[in-house]
Amino acid sequence: MPVKSPVRRLSLGKIAAPLLALLLAPAALPAGEAAALHRFEIGQHEFLLDGKPLQIRCGEVHAPRVPPEYWRHRLRLVKAMGLNTVCAYLFWNLHEPRPGEFNWAGAADAALFCRIAQEEGLWVILRPGPYACAEWEMGGLPWWLLKHDDIRLRTRDPRFLEATRRYLNEVGRVLAPLQVSRGGPILMVQVENEYGFFGKDPEYMGELRAALLGAGFEVPLFACNPKDHLKDGYRADLFPVVNFGSDPRGAFAALREILPTGPLMCGEFYPGWFDTWGAPHHLGNTERYLTDLGAMLKMGASFSIYMAHGGTTFGFGTGADRPFKPDTSSYDYDAPISEAGWTTPKFDLTRALMAKHLLPGETLPEPPPRNPVIAIAPVAAAEWAPVFANLPTAVTAAEPRTLEQLDQAHGCVLYRTTVPAGPEATLAVAAVHDVGQVFLDGRRIGFMDRRSGAYRVVLPARAQAATLDLLVEAMGRVNFGVEVHDRKGLHGPVTLAPAGQPATQLEGWRMCRLPLDSDMLAGLRYDAAPTQAVPAGQPAFWRTTVTLAQPADCFLDLRPWGKGYVWVNGHNLGRYWNIGPQQTMYVPGPWLKAGDNEIVILDLLGPKRPVVAALDRPILDELRPALDFARTKRREAKLRSDFGAPAHAGSFAAGSTLQTVRLDRPVRGRFFCLEALEAHDGKPFAAIAELTLLGADGEPLSTEGWTVAHVDSEERGVADGTAENAIDGQTANFWHSEWGAAQPAFPHRLILDLGATRTVGGLRYTPRQGADDVTGRIKSYRVFIADDLVLP
Ligand code: GLA
């Protein structure tokens, strides 16, 4: 481990002064220490630092997810937990918000984060991308790449590579000087992220490797992948590590297939998981986490706990899981160190476990104390600024334009046009990314929702021409799979069809950009807030002044509000949504001040009570499905009465290994049904971690536009066994038939709507991961593929 400043060996009293100096002058390492150049290598059996074995005990922390004022506090917790290294992604879209404009300030000051880590006695593993994933907006990729209509991200598309090289060069300029070989803490650097999940092109990885070498990185370069994709895109000149949440022996055995000798490392080991809006809060299996961690420590393997401290995805940082499951702004992740930097029982258990595996002479520092926390009594919002009264000049065009085409990164767009007088008619759009509210002459009449592919609203009869508004909110670009090509806004054509009449296309759009940036907020015109009833369905900004004697951390209580964003003294805290599971937003104490604090809440739906209050504890596990305007009910699908002969029938092997099945002959259809008939454990449950469909050529089909058309049973109460988990690309979560309130018997059917007729030549079934006794591992099953399994 980087030798922490020599002050460590002195008694506590004497530590204070020099430590304070260190705190205040983070960059200045004590003389003789900073220049200590180190050699980090991949040895025959273990990592070597200056020729001596080093077991990397690492934990992941994302600097932009922690207020910079608290970086040192969190890194001290990581150290006190028994770790000797911190792993950090860089999010390209944070560091290059516009082409060629770089940002390394504030939350983006990655160099400062690394230096503080070094001062706190931690090595650093750097993961610069270009793609990261991480439940971060577009996986870290910059939205402006999507201005090229046909760009192919994460490939050797010359436009992608050119932008990537420029970015990685800049990363090298700023961070290469912090490599261990130059006196800094950076041990090794990751190339891309889980590329095997996305592609198989080793030349692409080669281009990135060359770019990083060209940018000045001389420490080892490595690549991470889940065990089933270690060979995809593999290159012998990139050290491989394997990511997994359970079964270290199985994962390391898979790693040994491509790495016969050399240190074993788990690049991401999950103590918990992330949350998405509308699905139950995730809690990790602590017992299994400790058992597997203990096993890795014993076998001398290296590992990185993902996440050691999740923090908060402030601002517009949240991404979405595919097909479209928007991530919550809390990234607590049920990590050992909680969102607000509190130690947890999992922290204490991890620390105790690590204490048994320290090097001779190595000691664990005490964890720093918890930061003070306060509650804030309710304060009524004093002012409001309705969105419709604060519209900017519109951009006009025949067809609706996406945010990218409107040169807008985040926020909302109001799409306005005129509809003629006429009878009741169905308004239909090709797609809304991501949530649309439909207004007729200013009155909200319906919602459009990407999560369930609900893109139709019935307009009532109109005696005269009316103003049609679609207020479309972008909820963070998908961060995984081909779906990262996620252009936001309204996707035309937009049509109107009176019952029994042909549809006509609506044109002549006026588009008001609502980027929700500081310029927009500064330009809002506020009036006194309504004291009587809050006008329903009125999207508006609400402003409140909260006076504090002693500012400290707190958790804003958003339960009286609907859906939107919060700003505290100009800091964008991120997104909230009353469907949960997250109901509070963490407010870092340093962002509050003694005296008056300005709180601005944009509520796109309209609050129950426009009242601002804060709690001294978070609420991250309160689902309120009844408030979900689109997902309360999974649309009842009318199924064909008889599915006829199956396209395939078979039996899956027991265990957790991915299984590929080729159909006797390719079959065409829009709907794909997997019908599970029994499970290996004889219990009435079916589960799928991941289901991939293959084309006639045996290659995975793109999941773009897929939705779950029907599922007979899914656990959505006691845990997140939602059907979409089977097609989100993540093997750590899974669809599971109900087991809480009821335990329906077999058969269990999962029917996917592929969005269009596709040719299916096979499938890949990833069983529920975990120990041998997990439920839901499917034995016999049948497959049906047709255009009419689900009737219109
Ligand atoms: C993957 C990615 C991470 C993160 C986790 C889930 O393994 O590499 O960035 O998305 O899944 O939290």
Side-chain angles (χ1 to χ4, degrees), residues 629-653:
F629 50 70
R631 264 174 84 69
T632 32
K633 52 190 177 334
R634 184 181 287 286
R635 275 176 312 135
E636 269 323 302
K638 275 206 295 325
L639 305 183
R640 204 171 80 193
S641 54
D642 168 10
F643 280 14
H648 181 80
S651 195
F652 291 123

Side-chain angles (χ1 to χ4, degrees), residues 60 62 89 127 131-135 190 193-194 197 224 243 268 270 273-274 306-307 331 333 479-480 730:
E60 184 105 6
H62 299 155
Y89 278 125
R127 311 214 276 175
Y131 168 77
C133 193
E135 290 67 62
Q190 179 177 289
N193 188 77
E194 294 196 328
F197 250 144
C224 75
N243 296 351
E268 292 178 11
Y270 313 110
W273 199 245
F274 60 89
Y306 187 104
M307 302 292 292
Y331 202 59
Y333 215 93
N479 55 270
F480 190 84
Q730 305 275 5

Side-chain angles (χ1 to χ4, degrees), residues 410-536:
H410 310 291
C412 304
V413 171
L414 183 83
Y415 294 86
R416 174 169 287 179
T417 189
T418 306
V419 287
E424 181 179 286
T426 300
L427 174 75
V429 305
V432 156
H433 289 193
D434 305 305
V435 173
Q437 297 186 62
V438 180
F439 297 83
L440 204 56
D441 289 335
R443 195 170 57 80
R444 187 173 62 201
I445 57 165
F447 290 93
M448 292 190 175
D449 174 68
R450 180 179 177 184
R451 292 167 304 153
S452 52
Y455 298 142
R456 294 161 176 271
V457 164
V458 176
L459 300 191
R462 303 154 314 279
Q464 69 258 345
T467 300
L468 173 70
D469 286 316
L470 279 96
L471 177 62
V472 175
E473 181 206 357
M475 281 200 66
R477 293 177 175 85
V478 173
N479 55 270
F480 190 84
V482 287
E483 289 82 351
V484 289
H485 298 82
D486 187 4
R487 294 175 177 83
K488 294 298 188 186
L490 179 57
H491 293 251
V494 180
T495 60
L496 192 62
Q501 294 178 33
T504 53
Q505 191 163 339
L506 295 179
E507 298 189 330
W509 291 92
R510 284 154 282 155
M511 289 159 279
C512 297
R513 294 183 287 190
L514 306 166
L516 307 183
D517 55 15
S518 48
D519 292 348
M520 180 184 170
L521 263 70
L524 294 172
R525 294 178 300 282
Y526 285 93
D527 297 323
T531 47
Q532 304 313 318
V534 175

Side-chain angles (χ1 to χ4, degrees), residues 48-399:
L48 298 171
L49 183 69
D50 304 329
K52 295 199 212 67
L54 174 68
Q55 179 177 27
I56 296 177
R57 306 193 309 262
C58 183
E60 184 105 6
V61 177
H62 299 155
R65 284 180 157 137
V66 180
E69 298 87 343
Y70 282 161
W71 286 349
R72 192 174 295 280
H73 179 264
R74 306 303 194 252
L75 291 166
R76 285 191 174 154
L77 284 167
V78 166
K79 181 78 180 172
M81 194 161 85
L83 305 181
N84 57 24
T85 305
V86 64
C87 186
Y89 278 125
L90 297 183
F91 300 125
W92 182 3
N93 51 23
L94 177 69
H95 296 295
E96 193 175 0
R98 290 262 170 198
E101 280 173 33
F102 290 101
N103 167 31
W104 297 100
D109 192 343
L112 175 62
F113 184 78
C114 291
R115 285 199 294 271
I116 294 176
Q118 182 169 21
E119 289 156 18
E120 295 304 326
L122 291 165
W123 299 112
V124 171
I125 292 178
L126 185 68
R127 311 214 276 175
Y131 168 77
C133 193
E135 290 67 62
W136 188 267
E137 148 83 14
M138 209 167 148
L141 298 170
W143 66 275
W144 40 264
L145 290 169
L146 294 175
K147 294 171 108 175
H148 302 289
D149 286 348
D150 59 348
I151 194 167
R152 289 176 304 111
L153 304 172
R154 300 182 73 192
T155 70
R156 286 184 281 149
D157 181 314
R159 295 159 298 180
F160 181 75
L161 284 184
E162 188 203 333
T164 295
R165 286 194 195 96
R166 177 180 60 206
Y167 160 65
L168 292 178
N169 251 343
E170 175 68 5
V171 170
R173 181 184 70 77
V174 175
L175 293 169
L178 291 170
Q179 296 173 91
V180 287
S181 50
R182 304 193 195 172
I186 297 175
L187 290 175
M188 55 184 194
V189 174
Q190 179 177 289
V191 177
E192 243 271 0
N193 188 77
E194 294 196 328
Y195 172 65
F197 250 144
F198 183 88
K200 296 182 189 328
D201 177 9
E203 299 318 312
Y204 163 69
M205 290 295 276
E207 290 283 353
L208 301 186
R209 176 177 176 277
L212 282 164
L213 294 173
F217 287 102
E218 63 238 5
V219 295
L221 300 181
F222 73 100
C224 75
N225 269 305
K227 73 177 164 90
D228 296 324
H229 291 283
L230 285 166
K231 298 186 178 118
D232 299 330
Y234 170 76
R235 301 176 57 90
D237 55 15
L238 286 177
F239 176 69
V241 305
V242 60
N243 296 351
F244 56 83
S246 60
D247 185 20
R249 289 192 190 290
F252 286 144
L255 183 57
R256 275 288 177 239
E257 284 173 32
I258 60 167
L259 182 74
T261 61
L264 293 171
M265 175 147 186
C266 170
E268 292 178 11
F269 178 62
Y270 313 110
W273 199 245
F274 60 89
D275 285 344
T276 56
W277 295 110
H281 175 52
H282 285 90
L283 292 175
N285 175 331
T286 302
E287 198 197 324
R288 193 194 58 219
Y289 155 77
L290 291 168
T291 307
D292 292 345
L293 204 49
M296 288 193 275
L297 282 162
K298 274 209 199 77
M299 65 171 86
S302 292
F303 54 82
S304 180
I305 298 169
Y306 187 104
M307 302 292 292
H309 171 52
T312 311
T313 313
F314 299 110
F316 301 109
T318 48
D321 216 2
R322 71 172 189 195
F324 187 73
K325 295 193 288 177
D327 302 314
T328 59
S329 49
S330 167
Y331 202 59
D332 179 86
Y333 215 93
D334 194 28
I337 302 166
S338 82
E339 176 175 10
W342 299 354
T343 59
T344 64
K346 198 180 288 186
F347 174 95
D348 301 336
L349 291 164
T350 306
R351 178 176 154 86
L353 179 62
M354 298 294 166
K356 298 189 197 124
H357 296 272
L358 299 179
L359 295 174
E362 190 183 2
T363 56
L364 290 188
E366 282 309 306
R370 180 185 281 199
N371 291 312
V373 62
I374 56 172
I376 300 175
V379 183
E383 303 166 293
W384 79 324
V387 168
F388 284 102
N390 282 275
L391 294 175
T393 314
V395 174
T396 59
E399 308 259 331

Side-chain angles (χ1 to χ4, degrees), residues 519-579:
D519 292 348
M520 180 184 170
L521 263 70
L524 294 172
R525 294 178 300 282
Y526 285 93
D527 297 323
T531 47
Q532 304 313 318
V534 175
Q538 258 310 328
F541 296 83
W542 299 78
R543 186 161 66 182
T544 312
T545 301
V546 170
T547 308
L548 296 174
Q550 276 200 308
D553 287 4
C554 61
F555 301 88
L556 270 186
D557 184 355
L558 276 300
R559 289 174 295 181
W561 297 84
K563 180 182 195 304
Y565 303 74
V566 176
W567 292 264
V568 171
N569 293 331
H571 292 274
N572 183 342
L573 285 189
R575 296 182 169 96
Y576 69 91
W577 194 351
N578 60 7
I579 62 174

Side-chain angles (χ1 to χ4, degrees), residues 568-720:
V568 171
N569 293 331
H571 292 274
N572 183 342
L573 285 189
R575 296 182 169 96
Y576 69 91
W577 194 351
N578 60 7
I579 62 174
Q582 175 190 349
Q583 296 291 349
T584 58
M585 295 180 89
Y586 171 56
V587 183
W591 293 0
L592 292 168
K593 55 187 186 313
D596 290 349
N597 294 270
E598 180 199 64
I599 309 231
V600 174
I601 299 182
L602 167 61
D603 195 330
L604 294 163
L605 300 180
K608 209 165 57 213
R609 284 188 321 284
V611 171
V612 171
L615 310 177
D616 57 5
R617 58 183 174 76
I619 301 177
L620 300 178
D621 56 358
E622 196 176 304
L623 267 183
R624 303 204 281 173
L627 298 175
D628 192 336
F629 50 70
R631 264 174 84 69
T632 32
K633 52 190 177 334
R634 184 181 287 286
R635 275 176 312 135
E636 269 323 302
K638 275 206 295 325
L639 305 183
R640 204 171 80 193
S641 54
D642 168 10
F643 280 14
H648 181 80
S651 195
F652 291 123
S656 67
T657 306
L658 176 148
Q659 296 168 48
T660 300
V661 175
R662 297 301 298 268
L663 306 187
D664 306 339
R665 59 178 178 75
V667 179
R668 287 183 58 73
R670 168 174 169 164
F671 296 98
F672 174 95
C673 172
L674 190 133
E675 181 185 64
L677 303 171
E678 68 182 309
H680 279 283
D681 62 7
K683 295 183 180 152
F685 309 120
I688 297 177
E690 205 53 33
L691 185 62
T692 306
L693 300 186
L694 308 176
D697 59 1
E699 286 304 311
L701 291 177
S702 153
T703 62
E704 192 122 14
W706 288 13
T707 55
V708 171
H710 169 80
V711 64
D712 72 298
S713 168
E714 56 185 343
E715 184 52 57
R716 295 179 63 170
V718 292
D720 177 13

